[in-house]
Amino acid sequence: MALVKANPPGIPAVGDGKPTPDGPASGLPPLIETGPSVEDLLAALDAEESTTRRSAARALATHPEAAMALCDRVEIERSPSVRVVLFTTLIRLQSPEIAARLAGLLRSEDVALRNGAIEALQEMPAAVAPSLRALLADPDSDVRLFAVNILGALCHESAPEWLVEVIASEPHVNVCAAAVDALAEVGRPEAVPALQALRARFPDEPFMTFAIDTAVRRIEGR
Amino acid sequence: MVDPARSVQPPPPPPLTDEEYAKFCEFFYRKTGIQFQDNKKYYVERRLVERMTKTGSSCFRDYFTMVRFQVSGEELQSLVNTMTVNETYFFREDYQFVALVEGMLPELVRGRSPRQPLRLWSVPCSSGEEPYSIALSILERWDQADHWDIEIHASDIDSRILAEAQAGVFGARSLSRVPRQYLEKYFVSLGDGSYRICDDLRQSIDFSLVNIVDPVQAKRFRDVDVIFCRNLLIYFDDVGRRETVETLYEILVPGGYVCLGHSESMSRMTSLFVPRKFGDTIVYQKPQEKAP
């Protein structure tokens, strides 16, 4: 037969320690391990092997004191898989300080890094909230656009309200259009007057008229 | 004559307050990665009351203290067993087994040394239908099966359902999609409409009790070629999903595959994997990473 029952290195068989109806199976290693120290893990973030760096990044998820070092690392990390794990750990450790550091990456020219930061910020609604006002007022319209992208997917009760504020005052047509798209998804009826008013600010943009019509229709459930 | 002392049942435990429910959900999430929303309160409460009654706990506080501090972890395991859903059947989402034998396995063995075994992992394996379906698909539908050593590992967090999987006895509903010739070749009728899978097949699968969100337990798996992880991640929150797929990434060989349930999409969770289309299904491949 082609099928072989094997107990490959590192995989203890449960065959002899059969799972009992209500008890844990024997053969499992103890759940508590003495792991490496924070210092060792931080040093491992600079290791040559990406596997070692990923493993360290993952293990640091229980060490809030490592947050700023993880933020430093994500800025210079070249391996996409290590970056992903660094972002996940930062989401797990989320704090306003971490969000502020990640918000800085919205200016990065590295698209993957920037997108990773946007996705991570979308996963930390309470932590990113204090940074959002500054991002929405940033002199760079690209940064404001990314901030609107974050808002559109943010599970925060104030997100629809902030999007309404964007369309009331934002001068850049692309940022407004992104906010209208986001409102089509998360907007409430209170947003409709602001959406109608926006029409008058960009009368020569047929796309904007179309986007506003769509958003209003969705909000009103038509 | 009825002994009045014996006929008196203890009163049922009082219902959970919202705070107790939230406290329990937070604890259960930390231990298992499984998240219950407010709309699941009835489901959770009913099962909690069942366990509280069985253990003779008079209130949630007593029961919760026992679950948290019991050295053996036995009651936590019982709780996990009762909270998890194990509904499945043979050849569920069959197109993925077709993709396995027609697409993934032929690609994985290209240029591989015959001494290197193929390693597949079904997690969660529930009552065993999935790992046995994998085994049957390989034996019956892959013409290269005899040329390779193929290991099938199957794990679940629920010890009771794992014991059922190892016993390998299945009823009519579970077997409804098993072709007649497979039934005759690989099963033994028990005469009551149920069938037991043959000993050779039962003994060829390595069953183990594993909590995939526990890094120490997950770390035991290495160099797996294909992971079937279907309809598990839907129970996790966003960050739990990310962490779990990162665990799967570490466990896979470069070029290995993950098969998810039809309602799950890896691209909504992480950019670590590359989607690959085989026939009617999309599976997710761990790329060969270039940078160290």
Side-chain angles (χ1 to χ4, degrees):
Chain A
M1 194 180 271
L3 304 180
V4 292
K5 184 165 185 174
N7 179 22
I11 308 181
V14 173
D16 296 333
K18 292 181 181 67
T20 55
D22 283 310
S26 58
L28 291 177
L31 294 184
I32 301 166
E33 267 192 349
T34 310
S37 67
V38 184
E39 290 72 28
D40 290 344
L41 292 170
L42 288 172
L45 287 180
D46 294 323
E48 200 172 319
E49 284 291 311
S50 58
T51 314
T52 309
R53 300 203 299 280
R54 279 198 306 271
S55 176
R58 177 78 182 262
L60 284 166
T62 53
H63 296 284
E65 68 273 29
M68 291 305 117
L70 288 159
C71 290
D72 292 341
R73 183 69 216 181
V74 82
E75 288 177 12
I76 55 168
E77 177 59 57
R78 307 307 304 166
S79 159
S81 70
V82 182
R83 259 190 202 172
V84 168
V85 178
L86 285 164
F87 278 126
T88 303
T89 295
L90 289 169
I91 295 169
R92 185 55 86 187
L93 295 173
Q94 59 185 276
S95 68
E97 294 72 29
I98 290 173
R101 287 289 303 271
L102 295 185
L105 299 181
L106 300 191
R107 293 176 206 290
S108 172
E109 293 299 315
D110 180 335
V111 178
L113 181 62
R114 201 171 61 221
N115 287 344
I118 290 172
E119 284 169 14
L121 289 168
Q122 286 169 338
E123 299 284 337
M124 44 177 93
V128 75
S131 299
L132 270 171
R133 287 220 177 266
L135 290 172
L136 291 169
D138 197 278
D140 183 341
S141 62
D142 282 344
V143 171
R144 299 200 301 278
L145 184 72
F146 299 139
V148 167
N149 291 153
I150 292 168
L151 260 183
L154 200 67
C155 291
H156 193 289
E157 57 176 12
S158 300
E161 194 185 312
W162 291 336
L163 287 166
V164 168
E165 286 176 26
V166 169
I167 59 170
S169 57
E170 168 62 48
H172 199 289
V173 64
N174 289 347
V175 182
C176 282
V180 172
D181 278 349
L183 280 168
E185 298 292 327
V186 302
R188 297 189 285 241
E190 301 88 277
V192 172
L195 283 164
Q196 301 293 15
L198 182 64
R199 216 186 282 277
R201 289 179 50 209
F202 298 102
D204 301 327
E205 297 286 350
F207 169 75
M208 189 61 93
T209 304
F210 174 77
I212 291 170
D213 287 344
T214 305
V216 170
R217 205 167 51 240
R218 286 207 190 154
I219 290 170
E220 292 181 343
R222 286 187 281 127
Chain B
M1 193 164 164
V2 178
D3 176 357
R6 292 188 65 184
S7 67
V8 175
Q9 296 289 319
L16 263 64
T17 64
D18 288 347
E19 290 73 29
E20 287 170 340
Y21 177 71
K23 200 168 162 184
F24 171 75
C25 290
E26 199 271 330
F27 167 77
F28 199 70
Y29 169 70
R30 269 191 293 112
K31 289 290 179 186
T32 67
I34 298 170
Q35 201 175 40
F36 293 115
Q37 305 294 344
D38 286 349
N39 62 358
K40 288 278 183 188
K41 189 174 177 192
Y42 176 72
Y43 174 93
V44 171
E45 194 167 41
R46 206 153 52 93
R47 283 156 180 78
L48 266 177
V49 166
E50 183 190 310
R51 289 309 311 162
M52 286 159 72
T53 307
K54 274 200 178 153
T55 54
S57 309
S58 57
C59 63
F60 173 77
R61 206 173 123 187
D62 288 355
Y63 179 72
F64 194 52
T65 304
M66 177 180 68
V67 172
R68 285 201 305 178
F69 300 112
Q70 190 182 49
V71 177
S72 70
E74 225 172 278
E75 184 50 31
L76 175 61
Q77 182 65 59
S78 298
L79 195 55
V80 167
N81 292 355
T82 195
M83 291 288 176
T84 44
V85 178
N86 295 300
E87 192 66 15
T88 189
Y89 48 88
F90 274 82
F91 297 111
R92 184 178 183 182
E93 296 176 48
D94 185 35
Y95 46 84
Q96 287 197 330
F97 303 119
V98 175
L100 174 73
V101 295
E102 291 184 2
M104 290 179 259
L105 291 179
E107 200 171 279
L108 284 163
V109 298
R110 213 169 290 149
R112 173 186 290 237
S113 156
R115 284 195 301 276
Q116 193 187 344
L118 280 162
R119 191 169 291 160
L120 292 85
W121 189 29
S122 163
V123 58
C125 68
S126 188
S127 38
E129 285 87 339
E130 183 175 275
Y132 291 126
S133 297
I134 293 169
L136 291 172
S137 299
I138 290 173
L139 292 173
E140 287 295 315
R141 299 183 191 169
W142 192 36
D143 57 7
Q144 293 187 61
D146 288 338
H147 303 157
W148 300 93
D149 282 344
I150 302 161
E151 300 171 9
I152 300 178
H153 302 272
S155 306
D156 204 284
I157 193 174
D158 179 341
S159 60
R160 190 185 46 197
I161 207 73
L162 208 48
E164 281 182 32
Q166 280 186 300
V169 176
F170 301 98
R173 194 190 160 279
S174 178
L175 294 164
S176 62
R177 302 187 65 180
V178 178
R180 166 67 41 196
Q181 67 269 29
Y182 291 11
L183 270 184
E184 287 165 2
K185 191 168 171 185
Y186 297 103
F187 292 79
V188 177
S189 169
L190 299 181
D192 57 356
S194 62
Y195 286 77
R196 182 198 296 276
I197 202 146
C198 69
D199 287 348
D200 274 353
L201 214 50
R202 278 196 306 129
Q203 287 160 9
S204 67
I205 293 174
D206 170 58
F207 289 99
S208 56
L209 184 69
V210 168
N211 177 359
I212 198 169
V213 304
D214 182 330
V216 177
Q217 293 187 28
K219 230 189 261 179
R220 302 187 322 211
F221 289 82
R222 278 288 172 269
D223 298 330
V224 174
D225 293 286
V226 184
I227 300 175
F228 281 78
C229 182
R230 308 193 299 178
N231 307 308
L232 170 72
L233 301 173
I234 48 176
Y235 296 104
F236 296 173
D237 69 344
D238 289 343
V239 66
R241 268 194 283 271
R242 280 180 74 121
E243 287 170 339
T244 306
V245 296
E246 286 163 16
T247 298
L248 300 183
Y249 182 91
E250 295 300 339
I251 288 168
L252 282 170
V253 293
Y257 294 96
V258 180
C259 301
L260 298 178
H262 69 94
S263 64
E264 300 167 312
S265 167
M266 190 70 89
S267 49
R268 288 202 295 266
M269 302 177 222
T270 182
S271 56
L272 279 173
F273 292 85
V274 178
R276 294 284 311 274
K277 193 167 191 304
F278 289 108
D280 295 333
T281 191
I282 290 174
V283 298
Y284 301 92
Q285 187 171 33
K286 175 177 175 175
Q288 311 272 356
E289 190 160 7
K290 293 182 196 84

